[in-house]
Amino acid sequence: MWGKLSAEYLMDCIGYGAHDEKGLLVPIKFKRRIAGPDDVTFRITHCGVCYAEVKWVFNKIGTTKYPIVPGHEVVGVVTAVGDNVKRFQVGDRVGVGPFCNSCQKCEYCNKNMENSCLKQPILTYDGIDVDGSVTKGGFSNAMVTHQRFCVKIPDTLASDVAAPLLCAGITVYSPMMRHHMNQAGKSLGVIGLGGLGHMAVKFGQAFGLHVTVLSTSPAKEEEALRVLGADAFIVSKDEAAMKAAAGSLDFIVDTASGMHPLDPYLLLLKQEGIITIVSAPPEMKFTPAILFRGLKTISGSTIGGMKEVQEMLDFCAEKGVTPMIETIPINYANEALKRLQNKDVRYRFVIDIENSLKESIK
């Protein structure tokens, strides 16, 4: 069955998908597009569960194309490669993140910033693929992806913990590198302690930064300091503590998805400090004068280019940076989405596709 793929080959797949806005994930059969000479085909072993699944499965963005098979933190083992594929071979472990192709020709694609493709990158699920079909994600048994959008999973990085790095990991790593937040001895603030926030803490530690977690919940102090090893914790609702910390941080990574004002956090930055926003609240308000007086910068970021994703994975393997995960079978996916909406996960669900999908569909 496996090996070099002919132009006539079309893959029958199984997975879990939703058929309407009720968002109920059920067993589903579908076909993957024809694999071409630049494609890598792989059987999926693990897939992380991102909050994006909630937005797309329940059509909270208003554009979902049903039926939808979610999942964009995908790890698996190569089963076939096209004739032009040189970087990968059968048996390699590979990963695919939130997008699976781009125009590959624009200014940003040429700078290894495919995530900023001027024609928009093709989403790993619910996107329109090169053949006009709707892409299906990693809650399934196999995938076909252009070689440029696959990354190698380092030998020392387990597949289950590698999966969340393909979205949650790169989402915080990319802006931290772009804004030089890897300077040992500098100070980093992390707003929010969820899937993204806990990775920002871990990268901060690996970079040698003094890490302060900023949270509205006093209950997270023990977790931040004792479990994740942050250097300090501030309850952002505590005006006295926030005032005492004014001007103490070189950088802030804002991972909080709920509505919140920026001014209290901007005041924590030193002169020429930078806050990067990686979440997507409906609206954010700030006082421009705070920026003027402190020469401060607000930036935004979303995931990263493929070269940077590979660099991040290699860095994580070298430094032992891994997410905290809860491994689940695929028939627990609906419950996982409920818990995700209730913020009841530490800190990323990962579906064991290899050991649960076929059994759940029998």
Side-chain angles (χ1 to χ4, degrees):
M1 177 177 181
W2 306 112
K4 294 289 182 178
L5 300 180
S6 69
E8 293 78 30
Y9 192 89
L10 196 64
M11 182 184 294
D12 290 314
C13 291
I14 56 174
Y16 266 55
H19 291 276
D20 54 41
E21 292 184 359
K22 293 179 181 178
L24 180 65
L25 296 171
V26 296
I28 187 173
K29 294 182 179 180
F30 63 96
K31 292 183 182 293
R32 293 283 185 190
R33 66 168 175 81
I34 294 172
D38 291 302
D39 287 328
V40 174
T41 301
F42 62 96
R43 61 178 173 84
I44 298 170
T45 62
H46 296 83
C47 187
V49 183
C50 175
Y51 195 80
E53 269 74 86
V54 172
K55 292 183 177 181
W56 259 266
V57 166
F58 295 99
N59 196 25
K60 293 181 180 291
I61 57 170
T63 60
T64 300
K65 297 175 281 296
Y66 294 102
I68 182 171
V69 177
H72 65 202
E73 298 176 340
V74 194
V75 173
V77 178
V78 176
T79 53
V81 296
D83 289 337
N84 295 340
V85 177
K86 305 302 179 187
R87 292 176 51 230
F88 304 98
Q89 60 185 9
V90 173
D92 285 347
R93 287 188 306 140
V94 296
V96 173
F99 55 94
C100 60
N101 213 327
S102 70
C103 80
Q104 303 189 37
K105 298 177 181 178
C106 72
E107 172 188 356
Y108 294 104
C109 287
N110 287 335
K111 292 195 293 187
N112 296 309
M113 297 170 64
E114 298 92 343
N115 55 307
S116 298
C117 175
L118 292 175
K119 293 187 178 181
Q120 300 297 321
I122 297 175
L123 299 178
T124 296
Y125 65 83
D126 204 41
I128 302 300
D129 215 333
V130 292
D131 66 340
S133 64
V134 177
T135 57
K136 301 292 193 290
F139 287 22
S140 58
N141 66 320
M143 185 171 283
V144 177
T145 305
H146 190 285
Q147 62 175 323
R148 178 169 175 170
F149 299 87
C150 292
V151 287
K152 282 189 176 183
I153 306 300
D155 292 341
T156 57
L157 200 59
S159 295
D160 53 358
V161 294
L165 295 175
L166 299 169
C167 178
I170 191 61
T171 294
V172 294
Y173 178 89
S174 180
M176 291 179 79
M177 294 300 289
R178 185 166 64 254
H179 295 298
H180 309 292
M181 298 184 188
N182 59 341
Q183 302 173 62
K186 296 276 189 175
S187 54
L188 169 72
V190 178
I191 303 175
L193 197 59
L196 299 180
H198 95 288
M199 286 308 307
V201 171
K202 284 175 170 278
F203 280 123
Q205 291 173 317
F207 293 145
L209 303 177
H210 183 278
V211 181
T212 299
V213 172
L214 303 157
S215 175
T216 58
S217 173
K220 290 193 174 182
E221 181 172 6
E222 181 75 14
E223 181 85 0
L225 299 179
R226 305 289 180 261
V227 178
L228 291 174
D231 299 290
F233 181 89
I234 298 175
V235 178
S236 55
K237 293 180 180 179
D238 185 335
E239 293 184 6
M242 292 288 280
K243 185 176 181 179
S248 65
L249 301 176
D250 295 290
F251 316 111
I252 295 176
V253 176
D254 186 350
T255 73
S257 58
M259 294 278 285
H260 58 284
L262 279 185
D263 284 0
Y265 302 105
L266 291 173
L267 291 171
L268 299 181
L269 289 172
K270 296 179 181 179
Q271 196 86 349
E272 299 184 271
I274 298 171
I275 181 170
T276 185
I277 299 166
V278 296
S279 57
E283 183 180 65
M284 302 188 84
K285 295 182 178 181
F286 66 94
T287 303
I290 297 177
L291 301 183
F292 304 159
R293 289 195 293 266
L295 302 178
K296 299 173 184 181
T297 299
I298 300 174
S299 77
S301 187
T302 175
I303 49 180
M306 299 312 302
K307 182 174 183 288
E308 192 170 43
V309 176
Q310 188 65 66
E311 291 172 354
M312 175 208 62
L313 290 173
D314 295 340
F315 176 83
C316 289
E318 178 187 350
K319 300 295 184 180
V321 178
T322 58
M324 292 176 63
I325 65 170
E326 179 178 337
T327 304
I328 61 173
I330 196 162
N331 58 11
Y332 190 78
N334 288 300
E335 183 64 25
L337 293 188
K338 291 179 183 177
R339 287 179 56 190
L340 195 57
Q341 292 177 83
N342 292 327
K343 300 181 179 179
D344 178 25
V345 57
R346 294 173 60 243
Y347 282 95
R348 208 70 161 185
F349 289 115
V350 175
I351 301 173
D352 184 351
I353 299 289
E354 186 174 43
N355 293 308
S356 67
L357 178 58
K358 289 183 179 179
E359 289 298 319
S360 71
I361 291 182
K362 283 183 178 179

